[in-house]
Amino acid sequence: MAKVFDFDGTLYDGDSTIDFWLFAIRRQPKTLLALPWQLWAGTAFALKRITRDEFKEAFFSFLPYITHIEHLVENFWRINLRKIKPPIASRLTKGDYIVSASPQFLLAIPAARLGAHLIATKVDPATGKLCGRNCRGSEKVLRCTTEGAPIPFSECYTDSMSALPLTEISARSFLVKGNRVSNLPETA
């Protein structure tokens, strides 16, 4: 049976989307043109005026300002692959799954490097528009089902209770904090 891993905070030390955004700002400052819209959306989301999906799409409004996004993503991972946590990544074997709310185009490189199948939020890197729902919470289970992942998983690794639906379709679940792994109660 395959194992399933959350990405940000679990396999990756930090939030890859935020790290990529900061990386893009430093390399291509014109991405800051999206900042007013991002700030408005952040405020509207905090006030519950827009959905998480609407906020996420507004956040990704910086992507159209990036030239040669494929190269920027490659350069980002050239520097940031070091943030993959060896003690957690060593538990991943070829054919396991990474299921993440981060954008699929951003996580393709580390997933391939780790030999994992990737299920993530589909974002058009040219427009910043979501192509479907944000891959978070129960959406992760739905995406695993529709994309043919072998459910139930033998093990689930996550740093967040928002991945609870994934733990419910896994025989054993583990909470990751930093490089430490602790058992969660059996869920399946």
Side-chain angles (χ1 to χ4, degrees):
M1 285 181 11
K3 298 183 289 292
V4 62
F5 294 78
D6 196 356
F7 189 75
D8 295 312
T10 302
L11 282 165
Y12 181 82
D13 185 16
D15 184 316
S16 60
T17 300
I18 298 299
D19 287 352
F20 179 71
W21 175 61
L22 294 170
F23 185 83
I25 288 169
R26 287 190 301 272
R27 280 104 194 126
Q28 297 189 22
K30 66 184 171 185
T31 56
L32 284 169
L33 292 171
L35 191 58
W37 178 238
Q38 292 170 318
L39 291 172
W40 176 88
T43 303
F45 177 67
L47 295 172
K48 300 184 186 319
R49 307 261 187 211
I50 63 172
T51 66
R52 182 179 302 275
D53 285 10
E54 290 169 322
F55 164 70
K56 197 154 191 175
E57 193 164 89
F59 178 79
F60 288 122
S61 65
F62 76 98
L63 293 175
Y65 295 104
I66 296 174
T67 54
H68 307 293
I69 192 160
E70 303 83 16
H71 297 293
L72 193 66
V73 170
E74 288 170 13
N75 289 334
F76 172 77
W77 286 114
R78 214 170 277 129
I79 293 167
N80 287 284
L81 273 174
R82 64 178 171 72
K83 293 183 76 174
I84 300 289
K85 302 176 191 178
I88 311 306
S90 68
R91 294 171 179 252
L92 189 149
T93 55
K94 187 175 180 177
D96 285 342
Y97 282 74
I98 293 172
V99 181
S100 177
S102 286
Q104 190 167 349
F105 78 86
L106 182 60
L107 300 189
I109 290 173
R113 178 72 63 91
L114 293 167
H117 298 284
L118 177 62
I119 297 174
T121 301
K122 294 179 181 177
V123 177
D124 182 336
T127 65
K129 301 288 184 196
L130 268 63
C131 306
R133 304 262 339 256
N134 183 24
C135 189
R136 182 178 193 277
S138 59
E139 185 68 18
K140 288 185 175 192
V141 174
L142 180 60
R143 291 282 307 282
C144 285
T145 302
T146 60
E147 295 191 26
I151 298 170
F153 293 107
S154 62
E155 297 176 353
C156 174
Y157 294 84
T158 183
D159 70 309
S160 169
M161 287 299 108
S162 70
L164 201 55
L166 277 182
T167 68
E168 293 170 351
I169 61 166
S170 302
R172 295 177 60 205
S173 298
F174 301 93
L175 184 65
V176 176
K177 291 296 176 195
N179 287 327
R180 293 186 15 214
V181 176
S182 58
N183 289 320
L184 285 175
E186 263 190 47
T187 55

